[in-house]
């Protein structure tokens, strides 16, 4: 490929207002282009990286025994109604077609895969099934961010497995885990696997693959001493309980104290002496969650504990319906029938301040077990750094990370809700146990760029680079130009030949920015000795090689393969 | 791949209510599955055919110098506003995101590619650009049809080229034409290229690649004698004019004659003696079209003649606004300022019946040139079979066909409307001249299945088959089973190994239905002589070969290559 004909040249100017260094480099190098908020085009260089990612993932999925299929991105709303997710995924776009049929622009594909499997599943002999695809998702994210790291349209690899039993799903999971590790290793990034929340995908357990990165939009809690790591939303850590003699409950006027901040100031108490109550909505009705005010609620933990999705916070209407008073919510004097979940730090701390379900009033010296009660006590608060690791007593730290992959144990939630059954080996009806997983290819490309760069630009791993080699010549000598043309012809599709009339300085700079593994330079000086300069982008190591050997060096590059379809 | 583990088995029962034989076979063979109206999943077998189509198209596009990119399927409505297409493409779905931004689920990608090119185009040196992608389109079709032949979600190959001049676009066009021919040849289908309408894609000229097929939803007009062929909507043919002495214009009462049928009966005249006037909407205002009542209007011809898109027929409101009377529209006494296009058969026929723009009245003996006049006389009516070929005098025939590809000369319509300019070699601003093209991969798969089948099932061309060989064994002999397992292991990814316990009869039937090029059978009888039975699906030719030679026969199959990513 000649650089002069390539769509998407390097930009001379620094793109404006961009914080993410990987995004800036992908823009500057001409890999991607923004078309709208969270909507990106992949230019030829970016597309070739994408196809290389696709090849690596395909190879690992095939090795796992996966079968590739295609499920449409537009799906009937009816199947989302059956799973119960039609109404509460905020990122889900619905629309009507001309015939008045309601359709969904799918943010994920659990429902579609259940429907695809339905027609072909009858007996246990048809299981397990490991299915995957490369397909678009559309997620109407509230905030998109930093280029490819959170987009609305996502070109995604996603997979869905169907098993005869939970035991079989459990046996499959470590294999999937290993395949994910291999994928990220082959992409040249280091990841942590960490337990994570399940969000609207649901199910019982999930693991995220996170790449530590300053500025990453995920928080990872990690122990400095042992192997413990978890996504912040589900991480656990030691808590300090506030013990003490129980004092008498006392109602106090707290005029104008609508916030925790105001209340702490008014009562002259630290936040740790106050309880905070929040009402969350779930498909089984509202749930009042109580944590100590020096913590934040972790909805993912409530969801895991109650085994229902948590949709979000209640609004004024739902508060009124539940018989609660905004600004003074309380587990003390709880309206009958309302479900209550209490954080363990609240249950084990004495004499906290609670709301009174009465505007302008609170209770002092409230005590769990005496003033209110619930069977549902659990860890439902967010863990922060500087807490104690429950596994080894070490200190937890919070680091920023980028999520590059996510695997889920879904169990039988979807198959049961959507009534996809099979006959087990005893002739009884059973629901397949599902696993699922996903890798956003744009986000992964961004992470690879983040991890493989230096102050001069990108430095792609060989397996992902859009070309194996970048070729240029120096000077106006016809012999040099001819030698460069010959090299280009010999290397064919594997080389990006910079045939512009620009100065060597401009070309060196662009070669560094583009980050192609080998840079070949033909110059008068070395051509006289029959040599070509070959420089490795990642190490900077320079060799002078005869042309034939330079060609071999390019062809021998370990992982690099041309993209889909370029081989005939 | 073992058949027992494959997702999507053959169906034992004939699918209900399906007319298209190719659709029925794809369903029965387990290649595809319907998820909703016009929404299909490709199961593993179908996906492998799809990937093979993608490989062939990719190879031809690369040979043409094309560069693959990815433009998002969801695009900002703003760019559709700039091109002027936001409001009148009926198949286009619009929706709002959370932030209130209007987005489009793209039915085609001209606008997006103009935007992608914009940022990278400055001088004529950046042209030409040949760009393509494989990307989803969503078209809210009024009627979907016959499985893959007209779907709402379309997995499509589409390309867009940008040229310095119309001359350059013209030089590129024959190359594109040839690449399309090669693609369809390699897919094992015979196509006619025929001039066609441009529809909402617009531009100046287009050619469809049509495969003649009973039940196909396209009509192709073809000369039985010469090479002339065109899509019915733009085909031209000889017309018989009704000459005669001009008689005096006469207004007659035609009570209750709201239709041509009623009018012809009331006046006791053949339809050819009546003129029919219809009001069409265009971006430059309404246009009254007049044809003889024995013809139908061809909106595509009006569009080509006036060089504006024709949106569709006017409703009552627009008729009233134009000052016309429904049921009696007429070019005689035309309200001032209304544009009039007259079919040449009307202009050259004497003494026709016209409306009178007055309910319950018509004119007899209307004559173009005397009673009304227009500078815009053209062929704007549909040609039917049994007419004379204007090129050779032969007889035209109308045949049913399936459209499998479409190429367009767009000219500078989009680049001008969206103001994408470059500096030409004289330093002047100029608009790139565009070409574009598209192939729906599902529709192509359906056409290939249609053309490559017999009464027993599918018979894929080698280059497209999901596997090169189908392998089975007969009987319970352990030696036979072992030999089959060994063959399967040796052939690896290239064979579909039917390891089911079913009878040979069931397997033979399924092998025929699936249509994989070679069927390998291991049986006690032949194994004793060290031979394997190899049958060609398309010819039925049987050979008995030693195992090693059978393996070679599979590996030597001409075009067949494994699908994306299955090669390591």
């Amino acid at each position: 490929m000649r650089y002069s004909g390539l769509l998407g040249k390097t930009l001379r100017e620094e793109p404006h207002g961009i914080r993410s260094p990987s995004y800036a480099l992908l823009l500057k190098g001409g890999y991607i282009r923004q078309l709208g908020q969270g909507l990106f085009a992949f230019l030829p260089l970016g597309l070739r990286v994408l196809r290389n990612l696709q090849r690596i993932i395909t190879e690992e999925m095939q090795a796992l025994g996966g079968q590739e299929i295609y499920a449409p991105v537009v799906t009937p709303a009816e199947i989302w109604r059956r799973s119960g997710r039609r109404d509460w995924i905020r990122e889900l776009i619905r629309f009507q077609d001309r015939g008045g049929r309601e359709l969904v622009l799918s943010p994920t594909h659990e429902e579609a895969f259940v429907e695809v499997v339905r027609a072909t599943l009858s007996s246990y002999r048809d299981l397990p099934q490991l299915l995957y695809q490369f397909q678009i998702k559309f997620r109407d994210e509230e905030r998109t961010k930093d280029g490819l790291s959170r987009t609305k349209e996502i070109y995604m690899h996603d997979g869905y497995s169907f098993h005869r039993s939970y035991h079989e799903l459990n046996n499959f999971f470590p294999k999937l885990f290993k395949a994910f590790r291999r994928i990220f290793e082959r992409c040249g990034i280091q990841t942590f696997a960490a337990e994570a929340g399940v969000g609207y995908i649901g199910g019982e357990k999930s693991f995220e693959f996170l790449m530590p990165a300053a500025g990453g939009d995920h928080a990872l809690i990690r122990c400095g001493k042992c192997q413990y790591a978890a996504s912040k939303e589900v991480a656990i850590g030691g808590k300090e309980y506030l013990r003490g003699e129980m004092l008498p409950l006392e109602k106090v006027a707290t005029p104008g104290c609508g916030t925790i901040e105001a209340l702490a100031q008014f009562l002259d108490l630290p936040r740790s002496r106050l309880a905070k109550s929040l009402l969350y909505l779930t498909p089984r009705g509202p749930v009042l969650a109580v944590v100590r005010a020096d913590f934040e609620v972790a909805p993912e933990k409530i969801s895991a504990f109650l085994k229902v999705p948590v949709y979000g916070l209640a609004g004024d209407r739902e508060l009124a319906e539940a018989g609660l008073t905004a600004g003074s919510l309380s587990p003390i004097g709880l309206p009958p029938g309302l479900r209550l979940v209490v954080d363990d730090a609240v249950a084990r701390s004495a004499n906290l301040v609670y709301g009174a379900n009465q505007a302008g009033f609170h209770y002092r010296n409230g005590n769990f077990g005496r003033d209110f009660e619930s069977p549902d006590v659990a860890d439902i608060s967010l863990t922060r750094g500087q807490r104690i690791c429950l596994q080894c007593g070490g200190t937890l730290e919070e680091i920023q990370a980028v999520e590059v992959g996510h695997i889920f144990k879904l169990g039988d939630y979807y198959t049961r809700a959507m009534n996809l059954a099979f006959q087990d080996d005893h002739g009884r009806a059973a629901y397949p146990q599902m696993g699922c997983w996903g890798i956003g290819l744009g986000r992964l490309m961004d992470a690879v760029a983040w991890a493989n760069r230096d102050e001069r630009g990108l430095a792609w791993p060989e397996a992902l680079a859009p070309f194996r080699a970048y070729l240029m010549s120096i000077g106006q000598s016809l012999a040099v130009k001819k030698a460069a043309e010959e090299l280009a012809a010999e290397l064919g599709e594997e080389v990006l030949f910079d045939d512009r009339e620009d100065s060597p300085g401009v070309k060196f700079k662009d070669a560094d920015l583009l980050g192609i593994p080998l840079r070949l330079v033909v110059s008068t000086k070395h051509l006289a000795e029959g040599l070509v300069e070959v420089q490795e982008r990642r190490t900077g190591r320079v060799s002078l090689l005869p042309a034939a050997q330079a060609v071999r060096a390019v062809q021998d590059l370990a992982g690099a393969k041309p993209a889909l379809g370029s081989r005939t």
Side-chain angles (χ1 to χ4, degrees), chain A:
Chain A
M1 175 92 218
R2 280 165 187 272
Y3 193 79
S4 62
L6 182 75
L7 180 82
K9 302 295 195 294
T10 56
L11 307 179
R12 292 288 147 90
E13 281 157 39
E14 209 60 41
H16 281 297
I18 287 174
R19 281 171 310 168
S20 155
S22 47
Y23 179 28
L25 289 173
L26 291 171
L27 273 182
K28 278 186 72 180
Y31 283 82
I32 58 171
R33 200 68 80 217
Q34 184 164 20
L35 246 72
Q37 207 207 22
L39 303 172
F40 282 85
F42 292 85
L43 302 186
L45 289 179
L47 196 280
R48 293 174 79 105
V49 177
L50 205 70
R51 290 289 185 220
N52 284 330
L53 291 173
Q54 193 170 350
R55 177 179 45 74
I56 288 175
I57 294 171
T58 297
E59 284 168 6
E60 295 298 339
M61 285 298 136
Q62 299 264 339
L64 208 57
Q67 299 178 58
E68 188 182 0
I69 74 164
Y70 171 108
V73 60
V74 174
T75 48
E78 176 51 29
I79 62 175
W80 296 85
R81 223 177 257 119
R82 259 183 270 154
S83 72
R85 290 204 290 184
R86 171 181 170 277
D87 297 311
W88 67 272
I89 300 183
R90 293 204 185 152
E91 290 79 6
L92 180 152
I93 292 284
R94 286 183 269 148
F95 63 93
Q96 293 216 331
D97 73 4
R98 282 202 216 188
R101 275 170 297 265
E102 193 185 50
L103 298 172
V104 164
L105 199 42
S106 308
T108 175
H109 270 106
E110 284 76 17
E111 283 83 353
F113 274 67
V114 165
E115 287 309 309
V116 165
V117 167
R118 184 188 301 285
T120 59
L121 179 66
S122 62
S123 105
Y124 65 96
R125 284 186 211 87
D126 299 322
L127 293 177
Q129 286 290 353
L130 270 58
L131 308 172
Y132 69 91
Q133 65 177 355
F134 293 88
Q135 176 59 297
I136 287 165
K137 314 280 172 262
F138 189 85
R139 295 178 179 172
D140 190 10
E141 299 280 358
E142 194 161 7
R143 265 179 268 175
T144 57
K145 219 192 114 174
D146 284 350
L148 300 181
S149 78
R150 198 188 298 156
T151 59
K152 294 197 168 195
E153 178 164 323
I154 306 167
Y155 187 59
M156 189 179 262
H157 160 71
D158 49 331
Y160 305 84
S161 64
F162 297 80
H163 306 269
R164 296 171 215 207
S165 64
Y166 200 72
H167 178 70
E168 195 181 88
L169 168 61
N170 271 333
N171 284 345
F172 166 66
F173 225 62
K175 292 176 198 158
L176 178 63
F177 202 94
K178 267 191 207 156
F180 263 58
R181 276 224 178 285
R182 269 194 304 269
I183 288 168
F184 299 126
E185 265 169 40
R186 291 178 66 181
C187 290
I189 58 173
Q190 291 219 319
T191 55
F192 277 85
E195 210 184 322
V198 297
Y200 61 67
I201 303 296
E204 297 167 16
K205 218 173 184 60
S206 90
F207 294 90
E208 280 174 342
F209 289 78
L210 297 158
M211 181 185 80
D217 64 349
H218 272 56
L220 172 68
I221 299 285
R222 201 169 59 168
C223 176
K225 204 167 143 201
C226 73
Q227 294 288 317
Y228 181 72
S231 182
K232 187 180 178 183
E233 53 190 4
V234 298
I236 54 173
K239 297 175 187 175
E240 205 184 325
Y241 307 127
L242 306 168
R243 313 278 189 187
E245 195 85 6
M246 281 195 272
L247 303 176
L249 189 69
E250 181 190 345
K251 192 188 260 191
V252 291
T254 50
C257 294
T259 64
I260 289 289
E261 206 46 58
L263 187 64
Q265 209 168 348
F266 181 80
L267 297 175
D268 195 21
L269 287 173
R271 294 171 74 100
S272 59
R273 312 270 347 157
L274 314 178
K276 180 165 70 175
S277 302
L278 295 160
L279 190 68
Y280 284 90
L281 302 176
T282 82
R284 291 204 229 125
V287 173
L288 190 70
V290 188
V291 298
R292 244 173 36 203
D294 52 338
F295 288 91
E296 295 299 322
V297 176
E300 277 293 342
K301 290 185 178 179
I302 299 178
S303 178
F305 178 70
L306 298 181
K307 297 191 193 309
V308 289
V310 170
Y311 297 161
L313 278 171
D316 288 342
R317 191 173 56 80
E318 289 106 348
L319 283 179
E321 279 173 12
L324 295 173
T325 306
S328 182
L329 303 201
S330 183
I332 301 177
L334 194 74
L338 188 61
R339 185 139 190 202
L340 176 66
V341 191
V342 180
D343 188 64
D344 53 358
V346 167
R348 295 184 190 171
S349 294
N351 306 319
L352 300 182
V353 174
Y354 290 88
N357 265 327
Q358 187 181 351
F361 288 90
H362 281 80
Y363 284 115
R364 272 177 183 277
N365 304 327
N367 283 283
F368 178 78
R370 182 189 71 181
D371 306 316
F372 67 103
E373 181 63 273
S374 169
D376 296 331
V377 175
D379 170 31
I380 59 164
S381 57
L382 286 182
T383 297
R384 284 169 301 186
Q386 306 310 321
R387 294 205 175 269
I388 288 168
C389 173
L390 290 178
Q391 302 203 4
C392 75
T395 304
L396 298 177
E397 53 173 358
E398 181 174 332
I399 57 175
Q400 288 180 304
V402 170
E403 186 241 300
V404 289
H406 207 157
I407 64 180
F408 296 81
K409 271 187 202 170
L410 294 176
D412 63 3
Y413 176 79
Y414 291 97
T415 51
R416 189 178 286 273
M418 300 176 72
N419 195 26
L420 172 74
F422 67 100
Q423 291 234 320
D424 72 11
D425 51 358
H426 297 93
R428 290 173 307 215
Y431 297 108
Q433 298 284 333
M434 283 178 71
C436 79
W437 58 93
I439 298 174
L441 270 69
R443 178 183 285 198
L444 178 54
M445 186 187 301
D446 186 71
V448 172
W450 199 95
N452 295 276
R453 66 187 161 89
D454 56 25
E455 66 290 345
R456 288 170 294 133
L458 297 161
W460 295 107
E462 293 173 7
L464 297 179
F467 291 92
R468 295 181 185 209
Y470 170 97
L471 170 67
M472 59 177 275
S473 63
I474 295 180
Q476 298 299 321
S477 146
L478 283 180
V480 163
K481 288 191 170 176
K482 188 161 162 275
E485 288 285 352
E486 283 169 7
L487 253 181
E490 196 152 357
L491 289 168
E493 262 307 291
E494 290 158 16
V495 73
L496 181 62
F497 177 27
D498 194 342
D499 58 342
R500 293 175 297 175
E501 293 294 330
D502 286 305
S503 74
V506 165
K507 292 186 181 179
F508 285 144
K509 222 176 143 199
D510 279 349
D512 281 345
L513 171 57
L514 292 173
I516 292 166
L518 295 180
R519 188 188 76 192
L520 274 53
V521 180
V522 182
S523 63
T524 316
K525 182 177 153 200
H526 296 307
L527 187 64
E529 303 155 31
L531 298 175
V532 175
E533 185 193 290
V534 180
Q535 185 179 36
E536 291 178 15
R537 173 65 180 89
R538 289 165 78 97
T539 62
R541 205 161 60 89
V542 175
S543 327
L544 289 169
L545 301 175
Q549 236 173 293
V551 169
R552 212 161 322 124
V554 174
Q555 289 164 347
D556 284 353
L557 272 196
K561 288 180 186 177
L564 163 72
S566 58
R567 5 176 175 183
T568 40

